[in-house]
Amino acid sequence: MDKFVVKGGARLRGEVTISGSKNAGLPIMAAALLCEGPTVISGVPKLADVSHMTDLLADLGAEVRCDPDGRIAIEVRDESRSHAEYERVRKMRASICVLGPLLAKRKKARVAMPGGCAIGSRPVNLHLRGLRAMGAEISLEGGDIVAVAPMLKGTSIFLGGPYGSTVLGTDNVMCAATLAQGRTIIESAACEPEVVDLANFLNAAGAKISGAGSPRIVIDGVEQLMGTDHPVIPDRIEAGTFMIAAAITNGHISIRNINLDHLMAVVDKLREVGVDVESANGSVEVSSARRLEPTDVTTQPYPGFPTDLQAQLMSLLCLADGNSAISERIFPDRFMHVAELGRMGADIRKEGYTAIVTGVKKLIGAPVMASDLRASAALVLAGLVAEGITTINRVYHIDRGYESFEKKLLALGADIQRVDGGAVPAE
Ligand code: EPU
């Protein structure tokens, strides 16, 4: 299990290029199961989760070739296997993305039910509700979701849940609807840019989808989809993480391959607390030169402030000049980083799904434990500015979602090292 050893104090400077989006790339890889012929996806980041998806697609009869330049070619050779086994699904929750494509294309799917994870309970009831509404018969056998549908039929589906829309649920139903008979309307669909990227891929493959990016997506079923070439969008969460890295170190960095339209709520919050964010010559300059102001923020589905940047923003607000309130409205238990930041001298009090952060003058380096992908990134950010040495254990979480994280930080002047600590535990 590798560790990161971070010596705080360096102000980040220089240029960083954002990788392709993990959360767009994974569902698009799964959607390649719907297509005849080869699909080529470019800009896919080299991440542990992408390797997991590659292995899963191979289990399901696809030939997958990953080029060193981030292009992934996928072609289905054998449609006889439709079982996503627990061993794969437990390593990566996004394995659930194969459910809709398998059901639509192979008329049946068996996908292990994902369990909970460090950010809380992660039900898939809305995915199943959507597929059932289209005529699938779904049961649970030995911990697996078993779905059968000789012919999916288009219908109107309301996909809203207690915490709003569902991203991968929208993806699954949208994929299934591409080959269904007739028209499917998804109401309360997720509006995230990653859903739009998937819809763009499917449309390029021959699907008839309109409205992606709005809460109402209309899909007219077609006979078949043909593999196509598709570049994935830049990773908005990685971009937001580097913006906060610049801000927390009072640095000045230039970010390339970033789409600011996908980050409106984040830019708005950063500017409100005193961070400068400017577009210039195709890149975005982020800098801050003084102690930041506190703020209140609530995570929301897109275009609201993303839950995937909540932990990183918390690290930043730990050092603001006053009290901030951070409310988590997507995953109310996503607060594992609070206690770890406390070990570094942060003053955070949790009340239900809100964390009250009282700004302190400094953080102090400490050994801390990464619990999930974004919480781990938040601890690295805190380490960049803490006095002394911070050791972040279990960085395999970061490797699931940030391509070359420490190398990119090193290039910006951070003092960060990866230390080999033995095998990664099975989770
Ligand atoms: N929900 C239900 N029932 C469902 C599905 C979801 O109640 O059937 C609830 C969830 O418990 C949660 C809310 O709806 O309270 C939203 O969950 P959503 O389904 O949108 O999450 P997801 O699709 O499983 C994706 C990202 C997450 C990101 C969330 C929210 C991928 C692979 N994962 O998960 O990314 O936090 O959307 O934006 O795209 C990450 O990258 O670190 C990460 C966790």
Side-chain angles (χ1 to χ4, degrees):
M1 262 191 300
D2 289 358
K3 299 172 184 178
F4 281 160
V5 179
V6 184
K7 186 166 171 225
R11 297 170 78 153
L12 299 193
R13 296 204 177 276
E15 194 177 283
V16 64
T17 301
I18 299 306
S19 300
S21 163
K22 164 180 89 81
N23 289 350
L26 294 172
I28 293 172
M29 288 175 73
L33 292 172
L34 287 162
C35 300
E36 313 294 335
T39 288
V40 178
I41 311 166
S42 53
V44 185
K46 288 179 207 65
L47 299 170
D49 274 8
V50 169
S51 307
H52 293 320
M53 184 58 85
T54 300
D55 293 342
L56 174 57
L57 296 181
D59 286 352
L60 295 170
E63 190 179 290
V64 188
R65 209 185 60 242
C66 302
D67 293 344
D69 63 357
R71 280 157 56 94
I72 298 191
I74 303 169
E75 184 160 6
V76 176
R77 300 284 186 197
D78 171 10
E79 294 203 324
S80 64
R81 285 172 282 159
S82 296
H83 189 181
E85 293 182 31
Y86 182 56
E87 276 311 299
R88 293 260 179 253
V89 176
R90 79 189 178 93
K91 286 191 186 139
M92 183 187 60
R93 283 190 47 87
S95 306
I96 192 71
C97 293
V98 300
L99 178 62
L102 284 178
L103 186 61
K105 188 69 172 42
R106 304 185 188 181
K107 319 289 183 205
K108 61 183 180 182
R110 183 172 188 125
V111 179
M113 176 78 106
C117 68
I119 67 175
S121 110
R122 310 262 316 254
V124 291
N125 58 312
L126 298 171
H127 303 226
L128 304 189
R129 190 212 285 174
L131 297 174
R132 277 197 179 108
M134 297 172 75
E137 277 185 26
I138 302 182
S139 55
L140 192 64
E141 287 175 26
D144 292 340
I145 300 160
V146 179
V148 186
M151 190 62 207
L152 289 168
K153 291 205 173 65
T155 183
S156 287
I157 302 166
F158 177 76
L159 263 196
Y163 300 100
S165 50
T166 160
V167 177
L168 296 184
T170 301
D171 288 351
N172 255 329
V173 174
M174 186 166 73
C175 281
T178 57
L179 296 180
Q181 211 172 53
R183 172 169 286 195
T184 303
I185 300 176
I186 307 176
E187 300 283 4
S188 196
C191 303
E192 271 68 4
E194 293 78 14
V195 174
V196 178
D197 205 27
L198 173 63
N200 288 342
F201 164 76
L202 291 167
N203 280 340
K208 289 198 176 138
I209 302 172
S210 58
S214 81
R216 185 171 205 257
I217 301 180
V218 180
I219 307 119
D220 287 310
V222 296
E223 288 290 319
Q224 67 169 21
L225 299 180
M226 292 304 295
T228 181
D229 287 11
H230 182 82
V232 290
I233 55 172
D235 195 310
R236 66 192 166 103
I237 304 301
E238 187 197 6
T241 303
F242 276 97
M243 292 172 107
I244 297 173
I248 202 168
T249 60
N250 283 149
H252 183 154
I253 70 172
S254 175
I255 305 181
R256 293 193 167 274
N257 193 34
I258 173 173
N259 186 340
L260 266 199
D261 291 345
H262 295 166
L263 283 155
M264 295 293 273
V266 178
V267 171
D268 187 61
K269 250 326 132 191
L270 290 177
R271 285 189 175 140
E272 188 188 316
V273 300
V275 180
D276 288 323
V277 182
E278 300 298 337
S279 286
N281 308 324
S283 60
V284 171
E285 304 281 321
V286 185
S287 62
S288 94
R290 59 181 176 84
R291 192 163 184 206
L292 298 173
E293 300 298 323
T295 187
D296 291 349
V297 65
T298 301
T299 63
Q300 288 170 332
Y302 189 83
F305 192 92
T307 172
D308 290 344
L309 285 170
Q310 178 256 108
Q312 300 90 316
L313 187 75
M314 189 180 294
S315 293
L316 183 69
L317 295 178
C318 282
L319 292 160
D321 191 10
N323 292 336
S324 300
I326 302 181
S327 297
E328 175 52 69
R329 292 293 201 145
I330 308 290
F331 296 112
D333 296 324
R334 194 174 200 175
F335 282 119
M336 299 282 274
H337 42 287
V338 167
E340 299 304 300
L341 288 170
R343 289 177 45 70
M344 300 176 72
D347 182 351
I348 308 169
R349 186 164 44 90
K350 210 172 115 333
E351 284 185 8
Y353 56 77
T354 299
I356 312 293
V357 183
T358 301
V360 292
K361 288 246 163 67
K362 64 176 181 184
L363 294 172
I364 302 160
V368 288
M369 192 67 86
S371 55
D372 74 88
L373 172 54
R374 309 303 173 185
S376 318
L379 295 174
V380 173
L381 298 186
L384 290 177
V385 72
E387 196 174 275
I389 304 283
T390 300
T391 309
I392 299 114
N393 291 290
R394 297 177 173 250
V395 299
Y396 58 88
H397 288 295
I398 295 187
D399 296 335
R400 286 189 36 226
Y402 289 91
E403 186 176 49
S404 308
F405 195 43
E406 82 279 18
K407 291 189 186 124
K408 290 184 181 183
L409 287 170
L410 260 176
L412 292 170
D415 188 338
I416 179 168
Q417 278 180 60
R418 180 184 287 263
V419 178
D420 185 356
V424 174
E427 280 195 306

